[in-house]
Amino acid sequence: MTELRAFSFAPVDLDALAEATGRVAVLIPSEGTMSPGARRLNRLTKGSIARVVEDEKWADKKAGDVVSLAYPAGMKAEAVDIICLERRPSAVEARKAGAKLAKVAGKAALIVLGENVKHPAEFAMGLALRGYAFDARKTAETKDLSAAVVMCKDPEVAEEAAIATRAVAEGVTFTRDLVSEPANVLTTTEFADRLVALKDLGVEVEVLEEDKLAELGMGALLGVGQGSAMPSKVVVMRWRGGKGAPLALIGKGVVFDTGGISLKPAPGMEDMTMDMGGAGVVSGVMKTLAMRKAKANVVGLVGLVENMPSSTAQRPGDIVTSMKGDTIEVLNTDAEGRLVLADVMWHAQISEEPRAMIDLATLTGAIIIALGHDKAGVFSNDDSFANDFLKAAKAEGEGAWHMPLAPVYDKLLDGGKADIKNIGGRAAGSITAAQFLQRFVKDGLPWIHLDIAGVAQDTKETALAPKGATGWGVMALDRLVRDTFEAE
C-alpha cells in the first residue's frame, strides 16, 4: 500500500524552526494578524513575513493560498511558506489548505506553525492526502515523503483528533491504490486477498467462490464473469463495533470491463481498470471503520468479476436468472454492473438483514453527462436517508446530487422475453439503471444508490488528490456512519 506522509504534533519550538533544513510553513489569517510564534518567526526572517502579510494583496488571499520565500535570511530552511488560513476554518478549509501546502512542498521535510488555528489534525490530513502518488508499478526508485510536524496550541488534543483523520486517510489511500492498479495485477483473486488482509484489523472476512455463488443462485453475477479466465467472487466484510442490525455497503467490483460481446470502443478502454471503483470505496470505508474502532455494525459486500469477450462470454439476448428469482434479458453486455449488484444486494438482504443499504458503482456514462466530474448521483427510496448522506457528503466536501426515481422510468425496463431488461434505452440512462437496482431492494428497506462514474477517477487534480483515483466516498460514508449510526 502507498505510504502517506507521516505527521505528528508538537508545541511551538523556535529553536526547531531556526534549525529546520526542509521547509517551514506558517498559517496566517487574511487580516494579517500574526500569532506570537509567527511574530518570532518573522524576526528570524528579518521581517520578511510581515512584508508579505502587510501588503494590501494579502487581504485578497483565499483559504490555502500560499506565498513562498526561498532560502530566507536568518534560517537554514530552503523555504518559508506563508499560508492564508483563518483562525477558525471549517474542517474542509483546513484540509484544502494542507493539500495546497503539500503540492508546494513536494517530498521535503516540513514544520508547520499553526499554533492558534482550529483543526490542526484536518490540516495534516489534507497534507497527507494531497501528497499521495501511485508509483507501485514504477521501477525507478522514488524518494519517500519526509515527515511533517505541526506545531499547535494543544498537541495532545490534536493527536487524539488525528486518530480518526489518519484512519480516514488510510481508507482513502487504500481505495486509491485499488482503483489505480492495472487489471493484470488486481485480478479478482488478488482483490479478494487484499480484503482478506483486513482480518488483521479485526474485520471478519468471508470469500464466496463460484461454486457457492452458483449454489446461492447468483446467475446474474456469474453471467457477467463467465467469459473471463478470472474466477468471479463475492467478498463479505463485517465490522462488529456496535449493536443491532448493520448498515450494508455494496460495491461493484468489475476489475476490468471490455463491455463483453457488446465491446467498448478502443480509445479510453484502458481506463476501465477503474470499473471496480465502488468495491474500492466499500473496501476503504471498512478499513477506516476498523482502524478507528467505529462503534457501529457495518457490513461491506463486493462482487468481483471481469467482463471479457470470449467463446464462453455472455451474449446479447441471453436470459439469466437472478438470486431473487427474477429473469433478466441481457440486451447489452456492457450494462453489466447492475447485474453484479442485483445479486450481491439481494444476498446482503437475505444473509445480513441490514437496517439500511447503500450501493456504489461506476455504473453509467450518463451520470457524467448529467453531473460531470464534480458530483456523484444519489438515488434513493427514502428521502430522509438520502438527506443524511447528502449532509455527510457536504460536511466532508464531497460533491453529491439527489437524482429522481419514478414509476415512469421503471416502465422502460419492463421485459419482453423476461421479467426485466438490463437497459431501458438512451434516455435517462443513469435513472433507469437505478430503477433496475431498486427492483432488488425489499419493500421498507432504506436504500441509496450512488453512481460514482464521474467522481471515482479524474483526468485533472482535485482539491485533495492528484490526477487519477480520488477515493471519493470514503470520507462521506465514514461521516454518515459517525453521525447517523454511531450516534444512536
Side-chain angles (χ1 to χ4, degrees), residues 45-348:
T45 61
K46 314 300 182 185
S48 297
I49 295 173
R51 286 195 292 273
V52 172
V53 301
E54 290 171 4
D55 188 286
E56 62 181 15
K57 295 179 181 178
W58 181 256
D60 296 329
K61 298 294 184 185
K62 298 179 181 179
D65 285 350
V66 181
V67 175
S68 297
L69 306 176
Y71 301 103
M75 297 182 67
K76 293 183 179 180
E78 64 185 63
V80 168
D81 300 305
I82 308 167
I83 305 163
C84 182
L85 189 64
E86 305 308 320
R87 287 187 60 181
R88 300 184 67 82
S90 68
V92 171
E93 288 173 333
R95 287 178 202 160
K96 288 182 178 179
K100 287 188 177 182
L101 175 59
K103 185 178 177 182
V104 170
K107 297 180 181 294
L110 274 171
I111 296 179
V112 181
L113 179 59
E115 58 190 319
N116 289 336
V117 175
K118 186 180 179 184
H119 297 311
E122 301 287 352
F123 180 91
M125 175 182 168
L127 186 66
L129 285 176
R130 187 56 183 83
Y132 173 90
F134 182 75
D135 53 21
R137 304 300 145 210
K138 292 183 177 180
T139 56
E141 289 189 14
T142 55
K143 182 181 178 182
D144 292 335
L145 285 166
S146 298
V149 177
V150 180
M151 294 181 176
C152 54
K153 187 175 182 180
D154 197 332
E156 291 183 359
V157 172
E159 190 60 51
E160 181 68 22
I163 294 173
T165 58
R166 281 194 182 94
V168 173
E170 292 289 345
V172 171
T173 299
F174 190 41
T175 297
R176 289 179 182 176
D177 280 354
L178 290 169
V179 174
S180 299
E181 287 282 22
N184 63 322
V185 172
L186 193 71
T187 63
T188 56
T189 299
E190 172 65 16
F191 200 151
D193 288 346
R194 294 192 188 189
L195 300 186
V196 169
L198 294 179
K199 288 182 178 181
D200 294 341
L201 297 175
V203 180
E204 296 177 14
V205 184
E206 179 184 8
V207 180
L208 307 180
E209 303 290 353
E210 285 188 340
D211 56 349
K212 182 62 176 179
L213 303 181
E215 180 185 327
L216 290 169
M218 292 194 187
L221 181 149
L222 289 170
V224 174
Q226 71 186 40
S228 172
M230 294 296 110
S232 298
K233 301 173 185 282
V234 170
V235 181
V236 184
M237 298 164 279
R238 300 181 183 92
W239 173 252
R240 303 185 191 273
K243 297 179 180 180
L247 167 67
L249 304 177
I250 316 297
K252 170 189 171 184
V254 181
V255 295
F256 193 77
D257 182 21
T258 65
I261 298 299
S262 305
L263 195 67
K264 292 178 181 290
M269 194 192 291
E270 68 276 8
D271 289 333
M272 286 300 99
T273 56
M274 53 77 73
D275 210 24
M276 38 56 65
V281 175
V282 171
S283 304
V285 173
M286 297 306 295
K287 181 167 187 174
T288 290
L289 297 178
M291 288 189 68
R292 70 173 182 82
K293 307 299 183 188
K295 296 179 180 179
N297 286 345
V298 181
V299 59
L301 299 93
V302 296
L304 307 180
V305 302
E306 186 177 41
N307 189 22
M308 298 289 281
S310 73
S311 62
T312 61
Q314 184 167 254
R315 295 150 294 230
D318 282 2
I319 294 176
V320 296
T321 302
S322 68
M323 182 181 175
K324 179 187 175 186
D326 289 353
T327 56
I328 304 167
E329 187 175 5
V330 182
L331 299 184
N332 188 320
T333 63
D334 194 24
E336 86 298 331
R338 63 200 71 180
L339 301 176
V340 173
L341 289 172
D343 276 348
V344 180
M345 288 166 59
W346 195 256
H347 177 65

Side-chain angles (χ1 to χ4, degrees), residues 6-55:
F7 56 84
S8 59
F9 304 91
V12 177
D13 182 347
L14 185 62
D15 292 336
L17 294 174
E19 296 299 317
T21 57
R23 300 179 78 99
V24 172
V26 58
L27 310 181
I28 298 178
S30 57
E31 71 268 17
T33 304
M34 288 190 281
S35 66
R39 290 196 295 270
R40 293 164 70 188
L41 182 62
N42 180 57
R43 289 195 292 272
L44 274 177
T45 61
K46 314 300 182 185
S48 297
I49 295 173
R51 286 195 292 273
V52 172
V53 301
E54 290 171 4
D55 188 286

